Amino acid sequence: MRNDIQSNERAFSSKEVAEEVGIATPTVRKYGQILERNGYEFLKDGDRRIFVQSDIQALIALRDTDKPLDNTAKDLVYQQKERLEGSNETEIAISDTYDNLPQDPNQLKEFLTFLANELAATREMNVQLTNGISELKTTVSRLQQDHHVISSSIGNSSQKTHAKIEKLTEQQKIHYETLLQQEKQKSEFLQKEIQNMRDEQKKEWRSQNDFNNRLEEAIQKPKGNWGGLFSIFRK
C-alpha cells in the first residue's frame, strides 16, 4: 500500500504524464505495466493508474536508461520499497506524537491548523480526481459520438454508392436493349432487301428462260418463216 504520498501532492493523468515526460500515452501505459510486473505500486482508481511526482521520475528513468527496461524497473522498485519503509517509520513516529497531544493551547492550535491544511489538501486531490474522471467521461462520450457519426457517414455513403450502381446498371440495360432493337430492325430490313433481290433475280431468270424457249422454237421452224423469228426480238 502506498504511504509515501503527501495529502496535498498533485495527481497526474496518463495524458498529463505523457506531456510531462515527453512520450506517447501508449508508452506511459507500457512503462507502467513494466514497473508493475516487477513489483512497483501505483495508486489506482479502479483499473486506472494515478501518477504522482515520484512515479513521473520513475518513468523518466525508464525513458533515459541504457539498460534493459526490466533491469531498470527492478532498481526503481527497490528504491520505492526503501522509500516506503522510511515512510512507515515516519508514520510510527507521528502516531506516537498523536498519543501525546500537546497541552499548550498554542501548540494545540498549530497542530489543529496542520490537520486542517492536510484535510484541505486531501479535498483538493479529491477534486482533481473527480475532474479527471469527469474529463474522461466527456472524452468517452465524444468518442462514442464520433463513432456514431462515422458509422452514419459510412452507411449513407454505402447507400449512395449502391443507388449509383443500380442507376448505372439500369442505364446499361436500356442502352443494350435499344442497340438490340436497332440491330433487329437492321437485320429485318436486310432480309427484306435480300428477298426483293431474289424475287427480281427469279423474275429475270423466268423472262430469260421464256425468251430462250421462244427463240429455240422459232429457230426450229421452217426457214421461210423469218418473220416469226424477228418478231421475237421485237417483243
Side-chain angles (χ1 to χ4, degrees):
M1 180 68 179
R2 292 287 295 270
N3 53 17
D4 62 328
I5 300 173
Q6 300 298 323
S7 58
N8 61 345
E9 188 169 358
R10 180 185 172 186
F12 297 85
S13 66
S14 296
K15 182 179 179 182
E16 291 172 332
V17 171
E19 295 175 353
E20 184 78 14
V21 181
I23 57 178
T25 302
T27 305
V28 173
R29 290 195 291 269
K30 174 185 174 183
Y31 285 174
Q33 292 170 354
I34 292 173
L35 287 168
E36 286 183 333
R37 186 170 67 219
N38 288 278
Y40 195 91
E41 293 185 20
F42 286 100
L43 282 177
K44 290 290 191 70
D45 179 16
D47 292 332
R48 188 170 70 94
R49 298 183 186 89
I50 301 172
F51 299 88
V52 294
Q53 194 61 45
S54 59
D55 300 328
I56 294 176
Q57 295 302 320
L59 295 179
I60 292 175
L62 283 178
R63 181 198 66 185
D64 297 338
T65 185
D66 294 329
K67 299 188 298 184
L69 294 180
D70 281 307
N71 291 347
T72 302
K74 290 176 182 178
D75 294 339
L76 293 169
V77 170
Y78 178 76
Q79 295 173 11
Q80 185 189 51
K81 287 181 178 179
E82 286 189 333
R83 189 168 61 251
L84 293 178
E85 290 175 358
S87 298
N88 287 334
E89 293 176 359
T90 302
E91 283 187 352
I92 293 172
I94 293 175
S95 178
D96 293 341
T97 302
Y98 289 165
D99 292 337
N100 299 287
L101 290 175
Q103 300 300 320
D104 187 342
N106 291 329
Q107 291 181 353
L108 182 60
K109 182 178 179 180
E110 290 179 0
F111 179 73
L112 293 176
T113 301
F114 171 77
L115 290 179
N117 291 335
E118 292 295 309
L119 180 61
T122 301
R123 288 176 178 174
E124 183 180 355
M125 179 179 288
N126 290 335
V127 170
Q128 291 177 355
L129 292 175
T130 302
N131 292 337
I133 293 172
S134 177
E135 291 177 0
L136 181 61
K137 290 180 178 179
T138 301
T139 302
V140 171
S141 177
R142 288 177 180 174
L143 289 174
Q144 290 175 341
Q145 292 176 358
D146 291 343
H147 175 73
H148 177 71
V149 171
I150 292 172
S151 299
S152 299
S153 299
I154 292 174
N156 293 335
S157 177
S158 177
Q159 291 178 355
K160 291 179 180 179
T161 302
H162 183 68
K164 288 181 179 179
I165 291 173
E166 288 185 343
K167 184 177 180 181
L168 288 173
T169 302
E170 184 64 23
Q171 290 176 347
Q172 289 178 349
K173 181 180 178 182
I174 294 173
H175 181 65
Y176 173 76
E177 291 177 351
T178 302
L179 290 177
L180 186 62
Q181 185 64 28
Q182 291 176 352
E183 291 299 322
K184 183 178 180 181
Q185 292 175 353
K186 289 179 181 179
S187 177
E188 291 176 352
F189 176 77
L190 288 174
Q191 288 178 359
K192 289 180 180 180
E193 288 293 318
I194 292 172
Q195 187 62 41
N196 290 335
M197 291 175 64
R198 287 176 178 175
D199 292 342
E200 288 293 329
Q201 190 176 31
K202 287 179 180 180
K203 186 177 179 181
E204 288 292 331
W205 286 347
R206 292 194 189 98
S207 176
Q208 184 66 39
N209 190 42
D210 291 343
F211 175 78
N212 292 338
N213 290 335
R214 290 196 303 271
L215 179 61
E216 185 178 355
E217 290 176 359
I219 292 173
Q220 291 177 357
K221 288 183 179 181
K223 294 182 179 180
N225 194 6
W226 290 103
L229 180 61
F230 291 137
S231 64
I232 294 173
F233 292 99
R234 288 196 297 269
K235 289 184 179 180

